[in-house]
Amino acid sequence: MPPEPSADPPLRDKVAVVTGGGRGIGRAVATRLAREGAAVVIADYGGSVDTSANPQAAVAETVAEAIRAGGGRAAACFVDISTMEGGRRAVQQAIDEFGRIDAMVCCAGIIPQGTVLTATEEDWDRTVATHLKGHFSCAQAAARVMVEQGGGRLVFFASRASFGSASGTIAYSAAKAGILGLTFTAATELIAHGVTTNCIVPRASTRMIDYIAETTGRSEGRPAAESAAGTAFDPDNIPPIVAWLLSDAAEGVNGQVFGVVGRQITLLERAGWAASLVSDAPWRLEGPDGLSARIPAAFGADLSLRRFEWELPEE
C-alpha cells in the first residue's frame, strides 16, 4: 500500500492529468499523485483493451470519487484521447476544475493481437491512434498551456515491446517505439520553455497482461492482475517515480527513460552507435574488404535480436 500522505505533501500545488487513469497502472498513478497532494483529472474512455469500443464513463468517475472520498482533489473526464479534440478536452477540464495544468501523464492504451502477417488495418490504426497519437494529442494540448505558464512536466509510458521484447502485438510494439522518439524530440524542443519530458517503461500485471494470457496463453511470468498486490508486478510499484518526476526535486530531469519493476528502477543508457565502418572505396560484398568480412569483425559475429530486459528484484 502507498504510504500515508504527509502533512506537507510534495505535490500539493500541482495539477495533473492522468490518461488511462481509470484502471491498472493509470489508476495507481492517479491515486498516488492525489495522496502526494496533487489535484488530478482522471481522463479515461473506459473501453476494452482489444480496440473494441464499449466506452464507460463510470470508469473514470469511480476513481475520482474514491480520491475525493479520501480527502483528495479529483475530477473525471470521459474522453477519447486518440483524437486531437480529446487531448484538448482533457487539458481544458484541468484548467476549468483547478485553474492550471502542471503535469500530463499518459498511461492510456490498448493491445490487440496481431503479427506482421495477421494484424488488420483497423487494429493497426486504432492502436497507433490510442498510443502514439494519444500521447501527442495530450502532450501538445498540455505543452501549449505549460509554455504560457512558464513550465510543466510530461510523463510518457512506453513498453518493453518498444525494444522487440514482444511477439504477436505488432501495432502495440510499433506505437510504443514511436513514443520513445516522441519523448526524445519533445524533450529537446520544450526544455527551453521549462517543460520537461520523460518516459517510463513499466512491468506490472494489468488487464492487458490478463488479456494476452487469455488469448495467447502467454503470461510472461506475471501473476493475474487480481493476484498481483504485494508482488513485484503490483501496479502500485510504478507511481512513486512518476510522483518524483512531478516534484521539484526532478526539475532538471529531461529526456530520460526509466524502467520500473518491483522496487527496481533502471535508467536506459543511450550511448550512441556502438562502432563504425569506413571504406575508401565503394562497398563490395565479398573479399577481405567486403561487407561479409568487415561487418562481423567490427560489430561481432552475433547480430541476432537483442531484447531489452532487466532482472526482477528479490522478493
Side-chain angles (χ1 to χ4, degrees):
M1 291 293 291
E4 291 298 319
S6 64
D8 186 23
L11 303 182
R12 68 184 184 280
D13 296 325
K14 309 293 186 183
V15 177
V17 173
V18 180
T19 73
R23 296 187 176 109
I25 293 173
R27 177 176 60 194
V29 167
T31 301
R32 181 59 180 264
L33 297 184
R35 292 174 70 87
E36 299 292 354
V40 183
V41 173
I42 316 298
D44 202 304
Y45 196 49
S48 62
V49 298
D50 63 352
T51 75
S52 61
N54 191 29
Q56 302 174 59
V59 170
E61 186 55 48
T62 297
V63 178
E65 287 178 355
I67 290 173
R68 292 193 294 264
R73 296 176 294 158
C77 183
F78 176 57
V79 65
D80 181 0
I81 48 82
S82 70
T83 68
M84 299 304 289
E85 176 59 24
R88 289 190 290 267
R89 280 184 54 203
V91 170
Q92 189 60 51
Q93 182 150 353
I95 295 169
D96 291 344
E97 296 274 355
F98 303 113
R100 58 185 292 115
I101 178 170
D102 299 286
M104 172 61 72
V105 184
C106 299
C107 301
I110 56 177
I111 188 166
Q113 300 297 297
T115 69
V116 173
L117 301 175
T118 65
T120 67
E121 181 178 9
E122 179 183 6
D123 282 350
W124 175 275
D125 289 347
R126 183 63 180 165
T127 304
V128 172
T130 300
H131 286 280
L132 187 52
K133 185 179 177 182
H135 270 63
F136 176 66
S137 74
C138 293
Q140 184 182 77
R144 285 175 170 173
V145 176
M146 291 173 182
V147 167
E148 294 297 320
Q149 291 177 168
R153 311 291 170 86
L154 303 177
V155 179
F156 298 158
F157 270 73
S159 167
R160 290 194 308 150
S162 308
F163 305 90
S165 297
S167 176
T169 54
I170 186 66
Y172 176 82
S173 298
K176 286 298 191 182
I179 289 168
L180 295 177
L182 183 65
T183 298
F184 303 141
T185 304
T188 299
E189 294 178 348
L190 295 173
I191 190 59
H193 302 284
V195 179
T196 63
T197 309
N198 294 284
C199 187
I200 307 297
V201 177
R203 289 191 72 187
S205 290
T206 65
R207 64 188 185 126
M208 281 191 179
I209 300 304
D210 290 350
Y211 173 71
I212 292 174
E214 291 168 3
T215 55
T216 69
R218 303 193 318 268
S219 66
E220 300 185 356
R222 308 184 209 189
E226 64 180 13
S227 305
T231 74
F233 297 107
D234 189 337
D236 280 338
N237 294 322
I238 310 301
I241 192 170
V242 179
W244 176 75
L245 284 170
L246 270 54
S247 73
D248 293 342
E251 181 179 6
V253 180
N254 187 45
Q256 303 303 316
V257 178
F258 297 93
V260 184
V261 56
R263 294 183 177 89
Q264 178 177 322
I265 297 173
T266 303
L267 179 66
L268 176 67
E269 182 179 9
R270 293 191 289 142
W273 300 104
S276 148
L277 278 177
V278 178
S279 176
D280 294 330
W283 286 113
R284 295 181 298 170
L285 298 185
E286 305 300 332
D289 292 325
L291 292 177
S292 296
R294 293 193 61 188
I295 284 180
F299 304 145
D302 181 12
L303 293 178
S304 59
L305 177 66
R306 295 187 176 119
R307 297 180 181 275
F308 179 75
E309 299 287 355
W310 58 86
E311 296 297 324
L312 283 173
E314 295 294 332
E315 293 291 341

